[in-house]
Amino acid sequence: MEIIMSVVIGFLFMAAVYLMLSKSLIRIIIGTGLLSHGAHLLILTMGGLGGTAPPVVADGVSISDYVDPLPQALILTAIVISFAVTSFFLVLAYRSYQELGTDNVNLMRGTEDND
């Protein structure tokens, strides 16, 4: 299972870097979202996918069967933060499109006279 997850993580990182190197602001925002999802999966995979018992002390369950709750808590926090950042980026892109009429990053720079 870890091999499949590592391939998925690599594909997400590859697609995210490709989209973030684009000149379109919407593609950059989608790329940052994919990068955050890849990081979430990476943290989950590094925390270990094994374990069948919930992280509650009970009789008859050995310590090796517990699921580690720390990566799950970190991922939950990271999901909330990435949602907030993505929504901020989308509002920023919408407002800049209203003002400038384009989502091309090179055209947003302006001319030499306005710098």
Side-chain angles (χ1 to χ4, degrees), residues 100-111:
L100 302 173
T102 184
D103 70 337
N104 192 339
V105 178
N106 286 338
L107 296 176
M108 286 184 186
R109 291 185 186 183
T111 59

Side-chain angles (χ1 to χ4, degrees), residues 53-64:
V56 179
V57 177
D59 293 333
V61 179
S62 66
I63 298 215
S64 63

Side-chain angles (χ1 to χ4, degrees), residues 8-66:
V8 170
I9 291 166
F11 180 76
L12 284 175
F13 281 159
M14 176 201 59
V17 168
Y18 175 76
L19 288 173
M20 287 172 51
L21 291 175
S22 175
K23 293 180 182 179
S24 173
L25 198 57
I26 297 299
R27 286 186 180 193
I28 293 171
I29 294 170
I30 293 171
T32 57
L34 284 178
L35 187 70
S36 68
H37 287 310
H40 299 158
L41 286 177
L42 180 66
I43 292 171
L44 182 66
T45 305
M46 292 296 110
L49 298 175
T52 56
V56 179
V57 177
D59 293 333
V61 179
S62 66
I63 298 215
S64 63
D65 291 339
Y66 285 128

Side-chain angles (χ1 to χ4, degrees), residues 36 40 73-89:
S36 68
H40 299 158
L74 289 174
I75 291 169
L76 185 61
T77 305
I79 287 171
V80 171
I81 292 170
S82 68
F83 176 73
V85 168
T86 303
S87 62
F88 174 72
F89 281 163

